Amino acid sequence: MSAPATTTARLLPGKPVADEVLTDVATRSAALRARGITPSLATLLVGDDDASAGYIRIKQQQAAALGFASPHEHLPATATQADVHRVITAWNDDPAVHGMLVQYPIPGHLDYNAALQAMDPDKDVDGMHPMNMGRLALGMPGPLPCTPAGIEALLAHYDIPVAGREVVILGRGATLGRPLAMLLAQKRPTADAAVTVVHTGVKDWARYTRRADILIAAAGVPGIIQPEHVKPGAVVVGGGVRYEGRRILPDVDESCAAVAGAITPRVGGVGPTTVAMLFRNVVAAAERANP
């Protein structure tokens, strides 16, 4: 990637957004606990991937800080699909578990989509169950995919107008690009945009990104967005990343800060908001289960 250029863009860190969301979650969690209900996020780790184990620890620490229960199962890399479904079924049937997630990726011989479909959709706090994606497409209430919801919240927090503006998303993945397009096209004050989704299979994809008022990188290709791909003064959000060991390799090159009007930082942008939205989904699931 290019050497960082002198920053001229307004930075859009995710922590203030996440703090705002988590303050609300903590208040709602306390209200539930006062009624004898402890919100609960159950997590399943299959195998011994260090990064995945680290993500689980972060979620457990945040759960403890919010007063949530955080039951956890760790299956060996040799686990079968039946082993995975056995854990999910037990959590589906346990009224004390309000939300669950299977940490991705899982070993290659296992079917993540089958595990996802085995979940009670009301306990799917990643918002990725087919029923929840269908709810999103129809504009019905339900748990939203966490990274897209976090990006919408980030733009709203910094008073960045979205309605009527041209949003271009580079990336069509099921966890970010596609659901984010549906979310930002919906009719409400923090969305209602003209949304275009492009990807690296589109010839001259840069002709789309260069016209965007708001450009969201969701390709998972390090450094794919360079200054020449950005409209001067545009808002640039880096949603896609890859990891090299523990080093984060974002889609958006840091030199884009010299062209953009506002930009998420290389570290601490969308990540904190994603975690916050996960816990917002959990507390909402606990409230739905205990009206």
Side-chain angles (χ1 to χ4, degrees):
M1 291 188 288
S2 310
T6 302
T7 300
T8 59
R10 173 191 181 196
L11 284 179
L12 308 173
K15 187 176 185 302
V17 189
D19 288 347
E20 186 177 275
V21 172
L22 292 173
T23 296
D24 174 65
V25 170
T27 300
R28 293 160 67 181
S29 173
L32 286 164
R33 293 198 309 276
R35 296 168 50 202
I37 301 153
T38 301
S40 173
L41 171 64
T43 55
L44 173 60
L45 176 65
V46 186
D48 298 298
D49 180 77
D50 286 343
S52 293
Y55 297 144
I56 292 290
R57 284 193 296 273
I58 290 169
K59 289 161 187 170
Q60 289 177 323
Q61 290 165 2
Q62 186 63 71
L66 292 167
F68 284 30
S70 54
H72 177 65
E73 289 284 345
H74 184 186
L75 297 177
T78 55
T80 65
Q81 195 77 27
D83 293 329
V84 172
H85 287 207
R86 195 174 300 116
V87 173
I88 291 170
T89 299
W91 287 339
N92 283 343
D93 295 339
D94 186 349
V97 171
H98 302 113
M100 71 177 84
L101 63 86
V102 177
Q103 184 63 47
Y104 186 85
I106 58 177
H109 68 281
L110 298 174
D111 186 337
Y112 178 77
N113 286 333
L116 192 63
Q117 291 179 67
M119 293 181 188
D120 177 343
D122 289 330
K123 296 187 179 187
D124 158 41
V125 289
D126 272 333
M128 295 304 299
H129 189 283
M131 182 175 288
N132 291 327
M133 293 295 279
R135 287 167 168 166
L136 172 59
L138 294 171
M140 297 171 62
L144 296 173
C146 299
T147 303
I151 289 173
E152 183 182 11
L154 183 143
L155 294 171
H157 177 89
Y158 288 108
D159 295 319
I160 293 170
V162 176
R165 301 185 81 192
E166 183 156 16
V167 173
V168 175
I169 302 168
L170 179 62
R172 56 182 168 180
T175 60
L176 181 48
R178 276 179 278 166
L180 180 59
M182 289 190 286
L183 194 62
L184 293 185
Q186 290 179 355
K187 190 174 183 179
R188 61 176 175 279
T190 55
D192 208 18
V195 183
T196 300
V197 179
V198 294
H199 50 84
T200 55
V202 173
K203 186 177 181 181
D204 192 20
W205 52 261
R207 70 188 174 97
Y208 297 94
T209 66
R210 281 193 294 266
R211 74 187 194 200
D213 300 313
I214 301 171
L215 171 59
I216 301 167
V221 179
I224 190 170
I225 299 294
Q226 296 290 325
E228 61 267 25
H229 304 136
V230 178
K231 175 182 174 181
V235 175
V236 179
V237 177
V241 297
R242 284 197 182 175
Y243 288 86
E244 188 177 85
R246 293 191 173 186
R247 179 173 167 77
I248 296 175
L249 302 177
D251 283 4
V252 178
D253 192 272
E254 290 175 88
S255 60
C256 293
V259 179
I263 193 168
T264 52
R266 176 180 172 276
V267 178
V270 169
T273 67
T274 297
V275 174
M277 292 302 164
L278 173 70
F279 285 97
R280 188 175 73 173
N281 282 345
V282 178
V283 79
E287 290 166 342
R288 286 195 304 271
N290 298 276

